[in-house]
Amino acid sequence: GVLRLDLIAVAKDQQRGGVGSDLIHAFLALPDEGERRVKVEVGNVAALNFYIVNGFAVDTAESVQHLWLSGS
């Protein structure tokens, strides 16, 4: 199976203290031995780097662009 993590958030004043990494290690330690995947917004460079540092690699990248139509 595939285990997916869609969102992890750490309070600003708790960042860089290892809390996020502890959460990721707990996710990786779950008993199911299936594939682990995380989802990150393409433009969130800090999150992308965080997951790479914690052993993940980019598999696919998608971007959704929105166009504002004035007067619509």
Side-chain angles (χ1 to χ4, degrees):
V2 176
L3 295 178
R4 261 187 36 187
L5 181 63
D6 286 336
L7 177 64
I8 183 175
V10 175
K12 196 76 155 170
D13 64 336
Q14 297 296 311
Q15 292 176 356
R16 302 206 183 282
V19 175
S21 293
D22 289 345
L23 291 170
I24 290 300
H25 294 299
F27 171 65
L28 295 173
L30 290 171
D32 181 352
E33 295 183 18
E35 185 176 273
R36 305 296 201 260
R37 290 185 169 267
V38 295
K39 184 176 182 180
V40 177
E41 293 293 323
V42 172
N44 192 341
V45 176
L48 289 168
N49 289 334
F50 168 78
Y51 288 114
I52 288 169
V53 164
N54 280 282
F56 288 84
V58 175
D59 180 48
T60 59
E62 295 179 14
S63 176
V64 176
Q65 298 181 17
H66 299 275
L67 174 64
W68 179 70
L69 302 174
S70 63
S72 296

